[in-house]
Amino acid sequence: RQLKFMASNLEKKIKAELTKLLESDREKYEKFFSVFGMQLKYGIVADYGQKKEMLQDLLLYWSSKQDKLVTLKEYTDAMPEDQKYIYYASGESRSRLGQLPQLELLRQKGYDVLFMTDEVDEFVPQSLMKYADKELRNITTEDLGLATEEEKKAAEEKAEQAKTTLDFVKDTLGDAVKEVRLSTNLGSHPACMVPEGGMTFEMEKYFAAVQPDLALKAKRILEVNVEHPAFAALESARITDPDRAKKYAEILLNQAMLIAGLPLENPSDYTDLVCSLWK
């Protein structure tokens, strides 16, 4: 009992000192965080998030909008009034995350996105779930929540009109994807790959590294932008040249895999496929 009491007091003392350092000497705290930030993150996910309330204000993540490290409080304080969610993306590097198609619409709205690049970051948002009553939302796996009711209805109509071509792409790709569907989150980009369910692609990579025998894989969904010229070309080819349309579908699949940071089963086949369209 006495040891638990001492441990509790030590936790409070350390938290107070770190908070003081964060507020009084930001540069020094960022150096500290670069070395010990991983331990703070593991502290959040440990024991089913029992310590998340204590540790969440000590976290730092890279802001895509401000181009620097920010706390969750700094992020939420800077949010536009109409922004509903705390947006984040997880991946192996800031440079790769900065090229995600889903960023385009968020940038146009003036919304910030937190870049999370440590392996444990894939689990931190699931432990936190919310901060300052704002839900944390992964831009690569969840709806961005930007569409109005009118835009949602229009998207449903477009999906119905494009159903024949979407079904054609799914039939062409077979088991490579679970579903092919329309997306309104891609801006000017043609396609992306998203996971279904709780497992993300970053989790898949993590488990492949630590427990390869399990062969755990996220279910893949190909999302396409029916407003993009690439889809128009595919739709036209489906009618006039089905074999060429199948090649377009396979190229969209491989491009979406590359954007998601997923390995291609045979990169040589992909390059041959692209080159075959030059004839």
Side-chain angles (χ1 to χ4, degrees):
R1 187 168 58 186
Q2 287 177 322
L3 287 174
K4 288 181 179 179
F5 178 74
M6 292 169 62
S8 177
N9 284 341
L10 281 171
E11 281 184 342
K12 292 176 182 177
K13 178 65 175 175
I14 293 171
K15 167 70 182 300
E17 290 297 321
L18 290 177
T19 301
K20 181 181 177 181
L21 182 62
L22 174 61
E23 294 173 350
S24 63
D25 193 339
R26 182 59 171 257
E27 183 178 353
K28 190 172 183 180
Y29 182 81
E30 289 185 6
K31 289 180 180 179
F32 160 82
F33 191 83
S34 68
V35 179
F36 295 105
M38 189 82 76
Q39 281 67 37
L40 293 177
K41 294 174 182 178
Y42 275 113
I44 284 179
V45 302
D47 298 323
Y48 304 99
Q50 289 186 17
K51 302 293 184 181
K52 65 180 182 181
E53 299 292 338
M54 173 182 291
L55 298 174
Q56 61 186 4
D57 286 318
L58 297 175
L59 296 177
L60 293 176
Y61 285 112
W62 196 265
S63 159
S64 66
K65 184 178 180 180
Q66 302 178 56
D67 199 29
K68 65 179 183 179
L69 290 169
V70 299
T71 65
L72 292 175
K73 184 177 187 306
E74 290 167 343
Y75 178 97
T76 53
D77 286 347
M79 284 173 55
E81 290 185 6
D82 62 341
Q83 184 176 338
K84 299 178 181 178
Y85 308 106
I86 297 173
Y87 294 107
Y88 73 93
S90 57
E92 60 188 46
S93 68
R94 297 203 311 268
S95 60
R96 180 179 287 275
L97 293 175
Q99 299 170 11
L100 289 173
Q102 294 89 342
L103 277 175
E104 183 176 324
L105 292 180
L106 293 171
R107 284 171 173 158
Q108 291 174 3
K109 296 281 288 186
Y111 296 168
D112 199 357
V113 178
L114 297 176
F115 289 165
M116 303 184 174
T117 54
D118 290 328
E119 288 182 343
V120 67
D121 284 328
E122 195 60 34
F123 305 96
V124 170
Q126 295 184 12
S127 295
L128 292 176
M129 297 182 70
K130 289 186 176 183
Y131 180 86
D133 292 327
K134 299 288 186 180
E135 176 190 335
L136 276 76
R137 183 157 289 200
N138 189 335
I139 69 170
T140 62
T141 62
E142 301 174 84
D143 178 39
L144 301 181
L146 302 178
T148 64
E149 290 301 319
E150 292 77 9
E151 289 171 335
K152 290 179 182 178
K153 185 176 180 180
E156 291 175 0
E157 293 174 354
K158 290 176 183 176
E160 186 62 30
Q161 294 169 359
K163 185 177 185 305
T164 302
T165 301
L166 295 176
D167 290 344
F168 173 85
V169 174
K170 174 64 178 76
D171 292 340
T172 299
L173 301 180
D175 294 336
V177 293
K178 183 183 178 184
E179 183 184 350
V180 178
R181 67 190 182 198
L182 173 149
S183 174
T184 58
N185 296 334
L186 296 176
S188 62
H189 301 274
C192 73
M193 188 71 71
V194 299
E196 182 186 65
M199 178 174 286
T200 66
F201 297 139
E202 293 308 310
M203 288 183 184
E204 178 183 311
K205 297 173 191 175
Y206 171 79
F207 287 119
V210 299
Q211 293 179 299
D213 294 339
L214 292 179
L216 295 174
K217 281 195 172 184
K219 295 177 181 178
R220 287 148 167 70
I221 295 178
L222 178 64
E223 292 193 343
V224 297
N225 180 2
V226 299
E227 301 290 342
H228 196 277
F231 185 82
L234 190 156
E235 197 164 33
S236 176
R238 177 183 63 80
I239 300 171
T240 61
D241 190 346
D243 288 338
R244 190 176 188 85
K246 289 179 181 179
K247 292 181 179 180
Y248 288 158
E250 291 175 10
I251 288 175
L252 283 180
L253 169 67
N254 284 279
Q255 288 177 338
M257 295 276 285
L258 291 171
I259 292 172
L262 297 169
L264 302 184
E265 289 188 10
N266 194 324
S268 179
D269 284 351
Y270 172 60
T271 58
D272 291 343
L273 178 63
V274 173
C275 291
S276 71
L277 296 176
W278 294 355
K279 297 177 181 179

